[in-house]
């Protein structure tokens, strides 16, 4: 048992600029199952290619001693003749040939000068029996499932009288039952005298089958462990593979999605108005003019007296306000400003100029001396609220820029005006045009990283950052924190979002401007009640919306930082201490503002008084599939049957099921149907019914799809990293009909940094990257199209535990930023570790939906086999 069949001594293999193997030694005893593990890029496959002759003698240094003799393989034929067979992760079978033709391809059995087909079929049948595969040898490979194809590959290897069989990720594409069958066959081969080397990332399989395990890391041998001595465990393997301890491969995340503000507002409006005796109806819109109009027409038909509308889109809301006003209804623009309309009677909002002033003043108060680097960011250039916030900040900052307290680092327009005492509206608009984030977290981070890349070390140090709101502040803060030349940063924000409260507690965000929506709702209700009573609401300001000056009721704002975050947000009852780490016990009593008391008698029963239109809530469905069916003409049968499911903003929906259940087919049918299925049913995206003719339509609607086959369909392996990342959104980089190569490099470098893609350069060919880094390139490619919905099909197939953790961390950050993910996975621990909800697919049907709190492997497997 301790006699070595293979010793590889001091193997070193170099590629241009990279030492893939550095003095690796590796010993395999005869008759054992020896597992080779390590992260992608550790050198496992390179070592086996040295063994097989893919890298011939002379192309590496060191010795291969096989069956007691030094070997100098000059080709794969030499290693095969010696009894070594390697089965790679990408199977090398020809789909159109039969099983027996594939088994003896290149090793044909002849009688004279002709192939002896009868003997070929007879021996093929013998090989199939050795791997316990009961099929007709005349079956074509294309008609077999992936599990059976894997067994045909092993049968082919055995036909060469193999002594040493190497299997590279043999179960990566198999379901659990096929994987267990294959492992049993490997055990049987060991019993019949075949020595096996198995490369695998599935550590539980390694533990169940290995006699010995060797760990590689960064091209070097870390250790060899004896399973029979109890040296092998998942914890130990992970520690040696990644060089650090990972106690839980799944990042900590709150499975319950943050409760959307608009759902909270809906409840507050209903409770308070009903308590005041005024029936209310609340509808959600999504910024679509037709839906906004339909909402308002529905409310007008019910004889409302007051319309409170919070625009998702100013133009759509303005048209709806015009219609309501024409019907004699008083219109209140709630929170967000409807622009360009003469039909708004009152604004009830926070003083956006005061929000900006508070942000600017916070920066001024924390600045010392002269020459403090200042980076500027704004919301959307077309958003009047964003302009007002910036206007308020600029009123405070411009004098301090003019006197040299701050030096602007990221807006040429602002720099050119820095000596001015004040700025005009147009000048401020020009600055905003250079620094807009469009309120988008990913855009904000990319812009910040781009600014920092362009900046010198002198431009950094102790910096000050004007960020428009909390979501973008977190993304920008992450970029500044990651830059080694930034010693410290002071960064603003607004909205007091849950995630930013935790950032403030942790010292990663400096402040937020708290706009207490409880007070805002109270002010909106008081305004509506005054109108219903025939009184004139008390106003505190006016806002010009581009057409008229509109009377405004302004709610107060509060600056919150680490010094008062608990008293302002927790003790007031706005949040609970249990939502955060770093706080003590929750307060015993809440001081949340009370609902306004009823001041008049209730209106007549059944008579609607107030209609309210709020933006789409994040708990609202962002994608819904109804009565979805698909027929595949290529195989002549229905593959999806009456599918119904939905996704909500900011959640990960797991799609589980056995191989062939229809999971990928469902994803493809949604993503523009590239396979050409015959489909019927309804697909709604963000509340709008959609009909996609091809994947480009799906991309334009905000859907992206990361395929399970990254090498065959997800990447162009002969192209470099930057070309692959830009591939799905080239039009964004085109200037005058030509791709801007500098912009392409910049975008690729941004994703290289944000996704931690390990490559010497974005001009490295993707084929030279490890599996985990190829998967990150796939992600970068689709994130560059800036989707709302991301379909991930087997996102961690064939990648190591360290890379898996990185992928899971990226997924967690994406959903925290509001992206929705549909994750298809064959690994049940992955489904359970990452999903918020789970749908199970079986034979083309959805057989169940499970909230993650109720899901377990047994329930999922039962539904998967129904």
């Amino acid at each position: 048992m301790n006699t070595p069949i293979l010793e590889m001594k001091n193997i070193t293999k170099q590629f241009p600029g990279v030492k893939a193997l550095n003095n690796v030694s590796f010993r395999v005893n005869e008759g054992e199952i020896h597992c080779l593990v390590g992260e992608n890029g550790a050198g496992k496959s390179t070592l086996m290619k040295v063994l097989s002759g893919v890298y011939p003698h002379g192309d590496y240094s060191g010795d291969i001693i096989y069956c007691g003799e030094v070997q100098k393989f000059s080709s794969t034929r030499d290693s095969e003749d010696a009894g070594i067979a390697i089965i790679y992760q990408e199977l090398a079978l020809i789909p159109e040939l039969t099983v027996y033709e594939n088994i003896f391809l290149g090793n044909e059995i002849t009688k004279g000068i002709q192939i002896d087909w009868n003997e070929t079929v007879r021996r093929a049948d013998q090989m199939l029996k050795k791997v316990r595969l009961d099929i007709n040898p005349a079956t074509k490979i294309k008609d077999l499932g992936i599990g059976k194809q894997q067994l045909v590959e092993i049968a082919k290897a055995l036909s060469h009288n193999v002594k040493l069989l190497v299997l590279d990720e043999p179960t990566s594409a198999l379901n659990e039952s096929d994987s267990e069958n294959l492992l049993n066959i490997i055990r049987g081969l060991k019993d019949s005298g075949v020595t096996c080397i198995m490369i695998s990332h599935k550590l539980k399989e390694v533990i169940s089958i290995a006699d010995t395990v060797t760990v590689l890391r960064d091209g070097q041998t870390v250790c060899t462990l004896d399973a029979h001595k109890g040296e092998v465990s998942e914890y130990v393997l992970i520690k040696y593979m990644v060089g650090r301890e990972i106690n839980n491969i799944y990042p900590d995340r709150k499975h319950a999605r943050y409760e959307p503000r608009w759902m909270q507002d809906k409840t507050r409006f209903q409770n308070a108005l009903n308590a005041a005796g005024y029936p209310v109806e609340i509808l959600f819109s999504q910024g679509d003019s037709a839906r906004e109009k339909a909402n308002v027409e529905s409310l007008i038909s019910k004889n409302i007296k007051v319309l409170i509308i919070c625009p998702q889109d100013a133009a759509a809301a303005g048209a709806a306000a015009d219609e309501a006003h024409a019907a004699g209804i008083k219109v209140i623009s709630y929170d967000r400003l409807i622009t360009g309309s003469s039909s708004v009677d009152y604004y009830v909002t926070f003083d956006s100029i005061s929000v900006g002033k508070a942000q600017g003043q916070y920066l001024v108060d924390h600045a010392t001396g002269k020459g403090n680097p200042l980076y500027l960011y704004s919301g959307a250039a077309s958003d009047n609220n964003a302009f007002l916030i910036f206007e308020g900040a600029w009123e405070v900052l411009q004098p301090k820029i003019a006197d040299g307290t701050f030096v602007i680092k990221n807006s040429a327009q602002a720099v050119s005006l820095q000596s001015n005492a004040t700025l005009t509206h147009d000048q401020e608009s020009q600055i905003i045009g250079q620094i807009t984030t469009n309120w988008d977290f990913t855009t904000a981070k990319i812009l910040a990283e781009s600014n920092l890349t362009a900046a010198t070390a002198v431009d950094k140090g102790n910096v000050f950052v004007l960020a428009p709101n909390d979501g973008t502040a977190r993304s920008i803060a992450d970029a500044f924190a990651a830059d080694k030349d930034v010693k410290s940063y002071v960064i603003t924000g607004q909205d007091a979002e849950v995630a930013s409260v935790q950032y403030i507690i942790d010292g990663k965000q400096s402040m937020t401007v708290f706009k207490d929506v409880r007070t805002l709702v109270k002010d909106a209700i008081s305004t509506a009640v005054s109108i219903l009573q025939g009184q004139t609401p008390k106003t505190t300001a006016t806002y010009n919306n581009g057409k008229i000056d509109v009377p405004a009721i302004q709610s107060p704002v509060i600056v919150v930082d680490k010094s008062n975050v608990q008293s302002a947000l927790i003790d007031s009852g706005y949040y609970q201490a249990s939502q955060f780490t770093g706080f003590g016990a929750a307060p015993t009593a809440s001081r949340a503002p009370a609902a306004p008391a009823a001041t008049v008698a209730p209106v007549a029963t059944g008579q609607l008084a107030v209609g309210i239109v709020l933006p789409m809530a994040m708990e609202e469905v962002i994608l819904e599939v109804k009565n979805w069916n698909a027929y595949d003409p290529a195989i002549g049968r229905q593959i999806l049957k009456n599918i119904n499911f939905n996704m909500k903003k900011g959640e990960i929906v797991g799609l589980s099921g056995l191989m062939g259940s229809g999971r990928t087919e469902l994803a493809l049918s949604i993503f523009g149907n590239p396979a050409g299925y015959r489909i019927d049913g309804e697909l709604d995206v963000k509340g709008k019914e959609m009909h996609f003719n091809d994947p480009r339509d799906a991309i334009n609607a905000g859907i992206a799809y990361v395929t399970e086959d990254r090498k065959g369909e997800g990447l162009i392996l002969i192209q470099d990293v930057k070309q692959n990342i830009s591939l799905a959104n080239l039009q964004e980089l085109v200037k005058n009909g030509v791709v801007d190569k500098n912009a392409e490099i910049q975008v690729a470098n941004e994703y290289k940094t944000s996704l931690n893609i390990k490559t010497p350069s974005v001009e490295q060919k993707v084929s030279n990257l490890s599996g985990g880094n190829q998967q990150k390139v796939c992600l970068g490619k689709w994130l560059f199209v800036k989707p709302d919905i991301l379909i991930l099909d087997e996102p961690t197939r064939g990648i190591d535990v360290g890379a898996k953790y990185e992928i899971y961390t990226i997924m967690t950050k994406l959903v925290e930023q509001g992206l929705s993910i549909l994750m298809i996975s064959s690994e049940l621990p992955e489904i359970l570790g990452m999903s918020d909800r789970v749908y199970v697919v079986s034979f083309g049907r959805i057989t169940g939906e499970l909230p993650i709190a109720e899901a377990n492997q047994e329930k999922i497997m039962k539904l998967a086999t129904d």
Side-chain angles (χ1 to χ4, degrees):
M1 183 69 181
N2 292 323
T3 304
I5 188 174
L6 171 70
E7 288 186 88
M8 302 181 76
K9 294 184 176 181
N10 306 318
I11 303 295
T12 298
K13 168 65 181 166
Q14 286 187 293
F15 298 102
V18 179
K19 186 176 283 188
L21 298 173
N22 185 9
N23 205 37
V24 171
S25 292
F26 177 59
R27 168 177 167 150
V28 179
N29 290 325
E30 191 172 357
E32 73 171 353
I33 299 173
H34 194 122
C35 287
L36 187 60
V37 301
E39 292 190 271
N40 284 107
K44 307 181 299 295
S45 295
T46 303
L47 185 65
M48 292 301 98
K49 286 178 179 178
V50 168
L51 172 62
S52 68
V54 169
Y55 301 132
H57 182 260
D59 202 30
Y60 60 89
S61 63
D63 294 319
I64 299 173
I65 302 170
Y66 174 68
C67 293
E69 296 182 4
V70 175
Q71 304 292 331
K72 298 180 179 180
F73 299 139
S74 60
S75 67
T76 56
R77 171 68 73 178
D78 290 347
S79 66
E80 288 173 1
D81 290 345
I84 299 172
I86 298 186
I87 299 174
Y88 294 102
Q89 188 174 350
E90 289 80 26
L91 302 181
L93 299 172
I94 300 177
E96 292 297 332
L97 295 184
T98 64
V99 169
Y100 67 80
E101 288 171 321
N102 271 278
I103 288 176
F104 288 98
L105 184 65
N107 187 33
E108 287 81 6
I109 301 169
T110 59
K111 182 186 287 184
I113 62 171
Q114 293 185 327
I115 295 175
D116 187 340
W117 291 114
N118 289 333
E119 183 64 13
T120 298
V121 172
R122 187 184 70 79
R123 289 197 197 175
D125 193 52
Q126 288 178 345
M127 295 301 108
L128 293 174
K129 284 184 170 60
K130 284 188 178 182
V131 297
R132 306 174 197 172
L133 185 55
D134 185 17
I135 60 171
N136 186 337
T139 304
K140 287 189 175 182
I141 291 295
K142 69 178 183 180
D143 296 327
L144 299 178
I146 191 69
K148 291 181 179 179
Q149 289 185 30
Q150 188 74 268
L151 297 181
V152 171
E153 275 279 24
I154 296 175
K156 180 178 180 178
L158 296 178
S159 72
H160 290 269
N161 295 316
V162 66
K163 296 177 185 175
L164 177 62
L165 178 65
V166 181
L167 301 109
D168 190 353
E169 295 289 349
T171 65
S172 65
L174 304 185
N175 61 32
E176 291 192 7
S177 60
D178 283 344
S179 295
E180 186 57 37
N181 180 51
L182 180 58
L183 295 179
N184 287 332
I185 288 167
I186 294 171
R187 294 183 183 102
L189 292 174
K190 170 189 170 181
D191 294 339
S192 65
V194 177
T195 303
C196 293
I197 299 173
M198 188 173 90
I199 299 172
S200 180
H201 292 124
K202 295 184 178 181
L203 299 186
K204 287 184 171 60
E205 291 181 356
V206 169
I207 292 165
S208 74
I209 199 170
D211 296 303
T212 310
V213 181
T214 293
V215 181
L216 297 186
R217 185 172 74 238
D218 298 330
Q220 295 180 301
T221 307
V222 176
C223 63
T224 296
L225 305 170
D226 188 333
H228 300 292
K229 293 180 180 178
E231 296 174 352
V232 177
S233 70
E234 189 169 9
Y235 171 81
V236 168
L237 291 178
I238 291 173
K239 181 179 178 181
Y240 282 126
M241 284 170 63
V242 303
R244 64 190 187 279
E245 296 181 5
I246 298 180
N247 295 317
N248 183 6
I249 191 173
Y250 303 106
D252 290 334
R253 57 185 295 262
K254 293 181 175 67
H255 281 293
R257 296 168 304 283
Y258 46 90
E259 185 181 0
R261 181 196 145 182
W262 308 117
M263 294 296 283
Q264 297 173 2
D265 285 1
K266 176 183 177 182
T267 302
R268 292 183 181 113
F269 272 121
Q270 276 180 323
N271 291 346
L273 282 166
N274 288 339
Y278 293 99
V280 60
E281 181 164 337
I282 300 175
L283 303 173
F284 283 107
S285 73
Q286 294 156 17
D288 174 78
S289 295
R291 285 175 179 262
E292 210 82 277
K293 183 179 179 183
N295 276 336
V296 171
E297 288 176 348
S298 169
L299 295 170
I300 291 172
S301 69
K302 296 174 182 176
N303 297 314
I304 62 168
K305 306 296 183 227
V306 177
L307 172 66
I308 300 174
I309 186 165
C310 184
Q312 182 87 354
D313 176 85
D322 291 343
E323 189 159 349
H325 210 261
I329 296 166
K330 292 291 186 181
V331 176
I332 298 171
S333 175
Y334 166 68
D335 188 13
R336 302 180 181 185
L337 304 185
I338 298 175
T339 56
S341 173
S342 301
S343 300
V344 179
D345 294 289
Y346 296 97
Y347 285 133
V348 176
T349 186
F350 296 106
D351 183 356
S352 295
I353 291 178
S354 292
V355 171
K357 284 182 177 179
Q359 291 178 323
Q361 192 62 50
Y362 194 87
L363 297 177
V364 169
D365 290 344
H366 287 76
T368 58
K370 302 290 184 179
N372 297 284
L374 175 63
Y375 291 80
L376 306 171
Y377 301 96
S378 182
S382 60
D383 187 332
N384 194 41
N385 246 339
F387 180 85
L388 292 171
I389 293 166
F390 189 77
E391 183 181 37
W394 210 251
E395 185 178 330
V396 176
L397 290 173
Q398 183 65 18
K400 293 298 181 179
I401 293 168
D403 72 11
T405 300
F406 294 109
V407 179
I408 302 162
K409 296 299 180 182
N410 70 324
S411 167
Q413 189 67 39
V415 170
S416 70
L417 299 167
Q418 62 188 359
S419 61
N420 293 25
T422 59
L423 299 185
T424 66
H425 184 285
D426 288 343
Q427 288 172 330
E428 290 178 1
S429 295
Q430 289 167 1
I431 296 172
I432 291 175
Q434 291 185 331
I435 60 172
T436 182
T437 64
N438 289 317
W439 306 110
D440 179 77
F441 306 164
T442 302
T443 300
K445 186 172 185 182
I446 290 172
L447 181 58
E449 289 171 342
S450 175
N451 293 156
L452 288 168
T453 300
T456 66
V458 177
D459 296 329
K460 300 175 186 178
N462 302 307
V463 302
F464 292 78
V465 184
L466 178 71
N469 70 331
D470 281 349
T472 56
R474 295 192 300 275
S475 299
I476 294 166
D478 288 343
F480 276 80
D483 191 297
K484 62 182 177 58
D485 293 322
V486 174
K487 296 176 183 177
S488 69
Y489 59 87
V490 177
I491 187 167
T492 65
Q494 64 157 326
D495 291 334
E497 293 178 357
V498 170
S500 275
V501 173
Q502 189 65 60
Y503 263 49
I504 290 170
I505 296 166
D506 296 338
K508 295 192 289 186
Q509 182 174 328
S510 307
M511 62 87 79
T512 187
V513 180
F514 177 39
K515 303 182 297 185
D516 193 336
V517 294
R518 298 169 298 185
T519 304
L520 186 66
V521 170
K522 185 177 179 181
D523 289 342
I525 291 168
S526 297
T527 304
V529 168
S530 293
I531 293 169
L532 291 168
Q533 293 176 342
Q535 301 172 0
T536 301
K538 294 180 180 179
T539 59
T540 54
T542 59
Y543 285 132
N544 187 283
N545 69 5
K547 275 201 172 182
I548 59 171
D549 289 322
V550 179
I553 295 90
Q554 298 171 327
S555 293
V557 298
I558 305 168
V559 172
V560 174
D561 62 10
K562 202 166 186 176
S563 67
N564 68 334
V565 64
Q566 178 155 351
S567 60
L569 298 176
I570 308 302
D571 295 347
S572 73
Y574 190 79
Y575 289 129
Q576 298 297 314
S578 59
Q579 293 177 263
F580 310 99
T581 57
F583 276 129
T588 55
S590 169
R591 297 198 299 273
T599 55
V600 295
V603 295
T605 303
Q607 181 182 341
L608 196 61
V610 182
I612 303 174
V613 180
L614 296 174
M616 181 188 76
M618 287 186 289
E619 284 282 341
E620 291 286 298
V621 171
I622 192 168
L623 180 142
E624 186 167 16
V625 174
K626 304 174 186 176
N627 305 317
W628 195 255
N629 296 275
Y631 178 88
D632 186 352
I635 59 175
R637 65 178 175 84
Q638 189 171 0
I639 54 173
L640 300 173
K641 305 165 188 173
N642 199 37
I643 296 283
N644 290 274
F645 81 97
N646 64 62
M647 296 175 63
K648 298 168 186 174
K649 188 167 184 176
E651 72 170 350
I652 299 175
V653 174
L655 200 59
S656 186
L658 302 177
M659 296 287 283
S661 62
R663 301 168 307 170
T664 294
E665 290 81 357
L666 175 57
L668 288 172
S669 70
I670 293 169
F671 186 65
N673 191 27
Y677 306 138
R678 292 207 295 266
I679 293 172
D680 66 76
E682 183 179 337
L683 174 65
D684 291 349
V685 181
K686 291 180 279 189
K688 303 175 186 177
E689 187 172 354
M690 296 285 188
H691 300 278
F692 300 147
N693 295 315
D694 54 45
R696 175 54 59 186
D697 289 345
I699 293 168
N700 291 337
I703 302 176
Y705 172 63
V706 179
T707 175
E708 63 178 332
D709 182 7
R710 61 176 173 268
K711 290 187 176 180
E713 298 177 352
L715 298 168
I716 301 177
L717 297 177
I718 61 172
Q719 290 191 342
D720 59 34
V721 171
K722 73 176 187 303
Q723 290 169 311
N724 275 276
I725 285 178
S726 64
L727 189 62
N729 195 18
L730 268 177
Q731 66 271 15
E732 187 164 316
L733 301 174
V734 171
K735 291 183 179 178
N736 300 320
V738 178
V739 174
D740 184 336
K741 295 297 183 182
N742 291 330
E744 186 179 40
I745 290 170
Q746 181 178 328
V747 166
N749 275 317
E750 288 163 358
Y751 283 105
K752 173 180 178 285
T753 300
S754 63
L755 299 178
N756 193 27
I757 300 171
K758 295 172 184 172
T759 176
S761 162
V762 295
E763 296 184 347
Q764 176 76 263
K765 281 188 170 56
V766 169
S767 59
N768 294 332
L769 302 187
S770 67
N773 286 301
Q774 288 179 352
Q775 189 70 350
K776 291 181 200 173
V777 173
C778 281
L779 268 176
K781 164 187 165 183
W782 287 111
L783 291 177
F784 182 45
V785 307
K786 301 174 180 64
D788 300 304
I789 299 159
L790 181 64
I791 302 172
L792 298 178
D793 198 346
E794 301 288 1
T796 64
R797 172 176 287 172
I799 64 177
D800 61 77
V801 65
K804 283 185 177 183
Y805 183 82
E806 288 189 279
I807 295 292
Y808 297 148
T809 300
I810 291 166
M811 291 169 62
T812 299
K813 287 182 178 178
L814 290 173
V815 294
E816 285 175 353
Q817 294 171 1
L819 195 73
S820 303
I821 295 177
L822 179 65
M823 180 183 70
I824 302 169
S825 178
S826 299
E827 297 188 29
L828 292 183
E830 183 169 83
I831 287 285
L832 294 170
M834 290 301 298
S835 304
D836 294 302
R837 289 184 296 135
V838 180
Y839 287 100
V840 184
V841 184
S842 178
F843 298 105
R845 298 174 295 110
I846 286 184
T847 52
E849 175 191 357
L850 297 169
I852 199 61
E854 299 174 13
N856 57 43
Q857 294 199 28
E858 290 75 18
K859 287 181 180 179
I860 292 174
M861 285 305 298
K862 184 179 185 304
L863 290 168
T865 53
D866 279 353

